[in-house]
Amino acid sequence: MIKCLVIEDDDLMQGMLKEALIENGISVTLAETGDQGWTLFQEEIFDLVITDFKLPGMDGLTILEHIKSKSPEAMVILITGYGTIEGAVKAMKLGAFDYLTKPFLSEELIHLVQKALEFQNLRLENKRLKKELLNKYSVENIIGKSKPMQDVFRLMEVVAPSPTTVLIQGESGTGKERVAEAIHQLSDRKNKPLIKVSCAALPENLLESELFGHEKGAFTNAIKRKLGRFEMAHQGSLFLDDVDDMHPGIQVKLLRVLQERELVRVGGTETISVDVRLITATKTDLKLKIEDGSFREDLYYRLNVVPILLPPLKERVDDIPLLIQHFTDKFCARCGKNLTFSESAMTLLMNYHWPGNIRELENTIERLVTVSQKGNIDISDLPENFRNKPHWKPQSIKSAVAEAEAYHIQKVLKMTNGHKKQAAEILGITPKTLWVKLKELGLSEN
């Protein structure tokens, strides 16, 4: 049953609201003051809140602000007298669904309540559709509908079940570690450890000990035996990031482990067998490192059994709206907000060259969600470097946006059974704008 919280101090109005709502199958909880209403809202889950604007203590506007801070998607209807219409308009800007001006008929109340509940249901369905869209184009939390990423997904799924060594190549921030995690999770080793090591973070002597372990007394401060990452990853997977930064001396020892499937700890004599699936990543082309003598060619061929090339974000522009939606949902859930992006802001984000790739995009969305004080993010809300620096503009941007728009509009129209007014409301545009888009995108109007 639908649950409604009514906050009203006038006995006559309170009785009329309660009677009208109950007659229409809605459960009613009453509060006579703003403070009492806010306490009840924190203790229970309500589908709808109806509150008078003028109340003893905490007024309706303050209640609205409190409710929206706790539950941004809560549906709130305000009741106002003629003299407080200006305040009700302000409440609409703060997120109220609508307001009723006294005096009003019970039929008007029920019509508005039904409209609010329908809107809430459509909004929840729209959120479900967006989640479905993300799930359709994701593998183990890696998102991408572009052809390069779809190719990566297929290769990941093919190679994951085997113990074959994989080399992931991509710019900084493209998600190499995520791909390594996905390959491990898709493999039959997923219940065993995935151990990660950054080859760029440690000097040669520490990296050797980190990878292969050491015996007590092997060097100064080696006060006890230490297992290396290879041993820790036994029967699981080992991910070596930034393998292009590995010192030549370590390369020789790594090559031996790959060839023999066994190792000797630093300062030890015992030969230890290891069963490890090795996944490595590089931010540079290892062939260039071979040419300048900083990387062993024989090791390269051992690592490069199955290469996976991750494209930079500027080469997968049609993935950007999906990624923005994913990160927006993630950080809105954390901050208790509900935000959307204007079409112009989305276009600017898609045109940006993203030198930091997905990592930069995620950080940007987190910043925007954190500092935003309104429901819609526009160009003026974007950081200055997005608005003032030259942007990379691929030829496919128009078709990419059109494809994403067409897919989403068709989904929403299907959800509303072709009802264009409801669809336009969900999409956040006017019915006229929807009609124009249908014509531009070549979609049926029937």
Side-chain angles (χ1 to χ4, degrees), residues 249-368:
I250 304 297
Q251 293 179 32
V252 175
K253 296 180 179 181
L254 175 60
L255 180 62
R256 182 180 181 280
V257 174
L258 293 177
Q259 290 173 333
E260 306 298 333
R261 297 291 173 181
E262 59 186 27
L263 59 84
V264 177
R265 300 189 192 105
V266 177
T269 57
E270 179 188 0
T271 300
I272 301 161
S273 297
V274 288
D275 172 19
V276 173
R277 199 286 177 68
L278 186 65
I279 306 171
T280 61
T282 173
K283 59 187 174 297
T284 61
D285 187 345
L286 290 182
K287 291 181 181 178
L288 298 177
K289 304 282 283 186
I290 292 171
E291 290 178 7
D292 67 22
S294 60
F295 202 87
R296 295 181 62 94
E297 187 172 12
D298 48 2
L299 177 59
Y300 168 73
Y301 290 116
R302 281 285 180 180
L303 300 180
N304 195 43
V305 178
V306 177
I308 294 180
L309 180 61
L310 284 182
L313 194 53
K314 65 184 180 182
E315 292 180 9
R316 40 181 297 211
V317 179
D318 41 349
D319 291 337
I320 292 177
L322 292 174
L323 289 164
I324 289 175
Q325 182 65 54
H326 171 70
F327 292 134
T328 301
D329 290 346
K330 172 183 174 180
F331 295 118
C332 278
R334 182 184 298 176
C335 299
K337 296 181 178 181
N338 182 31
L339 300 176
T340 58
F341 284 78
S342 70
E343 187 175 338
S344 55
M346 183 68 77
T347 300
L348 198 62
L349 290 170
M350 290 179 71
N351 287 345
Y352 183 64
H353 62 292
W354 297 107
N357 293 295
I358 298 173
R359 185 180 297 123
E360 182 184 5
L361 174 61
E362 182 175 8
N363 290 344
T364 298
I365 300 303
E366 181 177 11
R367 184 192 323 158
L368 290 171

Side-chain angles (χ1 to χ4, degrees), residues 411-438:
K411 277 283 189 181
V412 174
L413 282 170
K414 183 178 180 181
M415 179 185 74
T416 61
N417 295 317
H419 194 292
K420 296 184 184 62
K421 187 175 180 181
Q422 288 183 347
E425 196 169 11
I426 295 173
L427 293 165
I429 58 179
T430 65
K432 182 178 179 181
T433 301
L434 176 58
W435 181 84
V436 171
K437 285 186 176 295
L438 289 171

Side-chain angles (χ1 to χ4, degrees), residues 401-412:
V401 174
E403 182 184 353
E405 276 193 346
Y407 181 89
H408 192 59
I409 288 174
Q410 285 176 311
K411 277 283 189 181
V412 174

Side-chain angles (χ1 to χ4, degrees), residues 102-143:
K102 298 176 185 177
F104 55 85
L105 300 174
S106 59
E107 290 81 2
E108 294 178 84
L109 167 71
I110 296 304
H111 174 74
L112 189 56
V113 166
Q114 290 175 341
K115 184 179 176 183
L117 294 172
E118 287 173 4
F119 182 84
Q120 179 74 318
N121 288 335
L122 289 172
R123 185 164 62 182
L124 291 172
E125 181 63 13
N126 191 33
K127 180 180 286 188
R128 185 191 67 77
L129 285 172
K130 288 179 178 178
K131 185 176 181 179
E132 180 183 295
L133 182 65
L134 285 173
N135 290 337
K136 180 179 178 181
Y137 295 115
S138 67
V139 174
E140 295 293 329
N141 290 321
I142 304 172
I143 297 167

